[in-house]
Every structure is written in C-alpha cells, then in structure tokens.
Amino acid sequence: MNKFLSDKAKSIEPYTPGEQPKDKKYIKLNTNESPYPPSPLVKKIISEANFDDLRLYPDPNVGDLKKEIADFYNVNENNIFIGNGSDEILAFSFMAFFNKGDKVYYPNITYSFYTVYSNLFDLNEVKIPLKDDFTIDINDYKNLDSGIFIANPNAPTGIILTIEEIEDIVKSNKDNIVIIDEAYIDFGGESAVKLINKYDNILIIQTFSKSRCLAGMRLGFAIGNENLIQGLKNIKYSFNSYTINRLSILAGIESIKDKKYFEDTVSKIINTRERIKKELKDLGFNVLDSKSNFLFISYKEIFAEEIYFKLREKGILVRYFKSKLIDNYIRVTIGTDDEMNTFIEITKKIIEK
C-alpha cells in the first residue's frame, strides 16, 4: 500500500459504478441512464452557447436554474440547493447534518453509496432490514434517535413508499432529519416536495440524470427548509464555490422548461417498463413491482450471475450485485422498445438452454 495514503484512503471501500466498457458496442441496460437524448431545447442552447463565456466562472448561486426549478415545483428559491449530481448533495448531507460518530439509519438493501459515505465521514450506519418481499416497514423508521436516508423508489428494488407513508416517518421524527432520495420518483411516484412547508426536518434530493436524460451533465438539486439548505451551502462553500459549470446550467434550464418532452419521455419509459415486466413474468421470472426506470428480477432455474454473464456475452449489459440477500437478482435498466425486445429475445434463448 502506498506509504503516502491516509489511513482513510487505505481502508475505505469505494463505491463501484456500473460498467462503461469500450471493448465493443453493447446494449447498455446497467446504469439506469435514459435511453432517450435530452430535450431538443438542450441541444439548441448548447450549440448556440457563447464560447467566450467559458473563460468566466459560472454563477456560484446557480440563480437562473434555481428559479426554473422553483417555478416548476412551486417552491421558494431559498428552498433550493443545486449540486454536481445528486451524489454530491448526498455527500454534503452526510457532512452537513451529522457529527462524527453519529448514527445514520437506512435500509439494509438500498443505494450502496450510503454505506460508502457513512464510512468516509466516520458515522455509525444502522441498516434496517427490509421485509422478505423487499418492502420497507415504515414502523421500523418511527421515533428513531438520529437521521434517516430513504431512497424512494428504493434502489435496486424499485419499490416505492406512498406520500402518506413518507409523511408518517417524517412527523414521527421531528428531532431527526429525514432525507428522501428521489432519483427515480418521476417514473411512478409522488414527490414529497409538498411536505417541506409542513415539516422542517425533511430534505428532498433529486437528479437530472434519469428522467431528464442528462446523466452526462452532472446536475442534482435538493429542496427543503431554508435552514437545511443553508447547511448544504456551508459545506459547499467550504469545499468548492463553483461546482456547476456554465453548460450544465444552460442544459438544466432548458430541460426544466421543456415540460412536454420531459413528460413524453418519462411516459415512454413507464409504458415500456410495464410491458417488459409482464413479458418477464410470463417467462417465469420473479419481477419486483418497480416504479423506477429499471426492473429487479430473478429466475429460479438459473442463478442471476450466470444470466448476467450470458447476457454480457451476447452484447447486453445489466447490473449484478454480488451482495448478500440480492445475489440472485439482476437489475435491468429500461431501454428503448427495440433494445428491450432484443433483451427479451436473448433472455428467452438463455432460459430455454
């Protein structure tokens, strides 16, 4: 081990992102990216952008994008924080709302970055077991003694809590922050944004990467009480004043403006998801009731890792988690109809053999 590394750098187990291979062309169903391009308005604004402006720092407050988000969600601009992807905001949240040694609660099966951040910032994670059907029992999250992270819909299961269930958790934890990670909320759930004016302990985090087709631009935002937003700002300005570049700001603004394109692409993904969900069930797969842009599936006759490798050999990438409790499942991002038809055809051949 390199003698110059800190103890933390030597010991931390980092997050493992999904494969981005270059060896050949794949149908990528492994990283939950949108199968559709960004809004045409995004392409237009970037193609017309003033190249000379790139010599200037961007607005550290990201005011123009903040205004568009505020209008879209009918909230005050002071209730919004914008970050370099939702992962950055999650990291800032672990720093802003917890002290070294504090407990932090989240499900035992969820977004694996939560564990990485807990370790990185010296927090004591408490993983609350999901029920046997991979659903969250909200009673396990009531009247806790520290802050909570809940991905809703959850990842990698795609299972969602209702807005009423989220509110039950929030109001029973009035002295604890409840952070709702809504990366996939647009694919079938109701955002908890409307709760921020009722409760001062809820923070909503969303991303432009999924439903707004801008994973490459690295944009995310949080909505919550002004005091919570100020906490995120304090961390940001102690870290990097300029986390959002000029082109990302332009892209984000146009993406928010183009409501019809947003609704149309989300609707296409939902329709494809429901069709593929049925086809996989007809083939004998166990398919969880996902409300996200992916499906979490298993097949009783063939172990998940084998299916993963066989799909990969045929040019289809899906995500396999070699983790306890879910190591017999694969996660399949919803692609275009043509991509998903190919996925079904190849999957049929795999299970027939």
Side-chain angles (χ1 to χ4, degrees):
M1 183 62 69
N2 192 310
K3 66 180 181 180
F4 299 111
L5 298 185
S6 68
D7 291 341
K8 181 66 71 177
K10 291 176 185 176
S11 63
I12 195 78
E13 185 175 338
Y15 175 75
T16 302
E19 296 173 88
Q20 300 282 359
K22 305 293 185 183
D23 58 319
K24 65 179 182 180
K25 185 172 177 62
Y26 290 90
I27 293 176
K28 281 187 84 277
L29 307 179
N30 66 323
T31 48
N32 297 343
E33 297 147 320
S34 175
Y36 302 108
S39 159
L41 296 185
V42 172
K43 181 176 181 180
K44 183 174 187 293
I45 197 70
I46 290 179
S47 67
E48 296 175 353
N50 187 343
F51 179 78
D52 289 347
D53 283 350
L54 295 184
R55 67 186 173 84
L56 303 171
Y57 286 115
D59 172 15
N61 187 49
V62 203
D64 291 341
L65 177 54
K66 194 176 289 185
K67 182 181 184 305
E68 292 298 330
I69 295 172
D71 290 345
F72 187 89
Y73 287 97
N74 194 29
V75 297
N76 191 290
E77 290 178 47
N78 293 330
N79 296 122
I80 296 171
F81 177 87
I82 298 175
N84 188 257
S86 59
D87 286 337
E88 180 183 73
I89 303 174
L90 288 168
F92 287 173
S93 297
F94 275 84
M95 289 186 274
F97 308 120
F98 298 88
N99 294 309
K100 182 178 179 179
D102 281 354
K103 291 179 183 176
V104 56
Y105 291 90
Y106 39 78
N108 64 331
I109 299 170
T110 191
Y111 187 29
S112 56
F113 233 140
Y114 301 163
T115 288
V116 175
Y117 288 144
S118 291
N119 293 332
L120 182 61
F121 302 121
D122 296 313
L123 303 177
N124 293 316
E125 65 174 0
V126 182
K127 294 183 176 182
I128 301 175
L130 296 179
K131 294 193 287 187
D132 290 343
D133 61 358
F134 294 116
T135 59
I136 287 174
D137 185 341
I138 65 168
N139 293 312
D140 293 336
Y141 293 82
K142 292 182 178 179
N143 304 307
L144 298 180
D145 57 359
S146 193
I148 303 165
F149 282 83
I150 294 177
N152 193 49
N154 198 10
T157 67
I159 296 174
I160 198 165
L161 293 175
T162 66
I163 189 72
E164 292 78 17
E165 290 172 317
I166 292 293
E167 184 169 12
D168 279 350
I169 292 171
V170 172
K171 70 183 180 183
S172 73
N173 284 281
K174 62 181 181 179
D175 295 323
N176 305 314
I177 189 168
V178 179
I179 297 168
I180 308 298
D181 181 355
E182 292 189 342
Y184 303 100
I185 195 66
D186 296 321
F187 298 106
E190 180 181 2
S191 175
V193 165
K194 68 181 184 182
L195 299 180
I196 69 158
N197 292 324
K198 193 173 180 181
Y199 302 97
D200 64 1
N201 63 324
I202 182 172
L203 184 74
I204 310 299
I205 298 177
Q206 290 197 21
T207 179
F208 282 73
S209 296
K210 315 300 181 183
S211 59
R212 295 193 180 276
C213 319
L214 286 173
M217 279 297 184
R218 311 312 303 129
L219 277 175
F221 59 95
I223 302 179
N225 176 274
E226 285 187 41
N227 291 328
L228 301 183
I229 298 302
Q230 187 59 53
L232 293 174
K233 287 180 180 178
N234 291 348
I235 296 297
K236 170 187 171 176
Y237 287 110
S238 301
F239 175 75
N240 179 2
S241 300
Y242 305 104
T243 63
I244 314 299
N245 69 67
R246 284 179 168 271
L247 295 181
S248 291
I249 293 171
L250 294 176
I253 290 170
E254 297 307 305
S255 174
I256 291 287
K257 284 181 178 179
D258 198 345
K259 185 176 180 182
K260 184 177 187 306
Y261 186 84
F262 164 72
E263 292 175 344
D264 287 349
T265 51
V266 167
S267 179
K268 284 194 288 188
I269 290 168
I270 291 172
N271 290 337
T272 303
R273 180 192 70 205
E274 293 305 304
R275 175 176 70 85
I276 297 301
K277 188 186 296 185
K278 181 180 183 304
E279 292 188 28
L280 285 169
K281 286 181 178 179
D282 290 343
L283 290 175
F285 279 83
N286 176 32
V287 185
L288 300 193
D289 187 22
S290 172
K291 297 299 181 185
S292 60
N293 69 337
F294 58 82
L295 296 172
F296 204 49
I297 66 174
S298 67
Y299 190 72
K300 62 182 179 180
E301 303 296 334
I302 306 174
F303 199 70
E305 188 174 24
E306 182 179 349
I307 296 175
Y308 159 76
F309 280 118
K310 288 183 180 297
L311 286 169
R312 200 179 196 286
E313 288 171 4
K314 298 296 184 181
I316 297 180
L317 289 180
V318 296
R319 192 75 190 265
Y320 174 67
F321 300 91
K322 208 164 191 172
S323 304
K324 187 179 179 182
L325 302 178
I326 59 171
D327 61 354
N328 197 24
Y329 284 80
I330 56 173
R331 192 192 68 193
V332 183
T333 303
I334 301 302
T336 64
D337 280 320
D338 286 345
E339 289 173 332
M340 298 313 293
N341 290 342
T342 301
F343 164 74
I344 289 292
E345 289 172 12
I346 291 176
T347 300
K348 282 181 181 178
K349 293 176 182 177
I350 290 171
I351 63 176
E352 284 170 1
K353 292 181 179 179

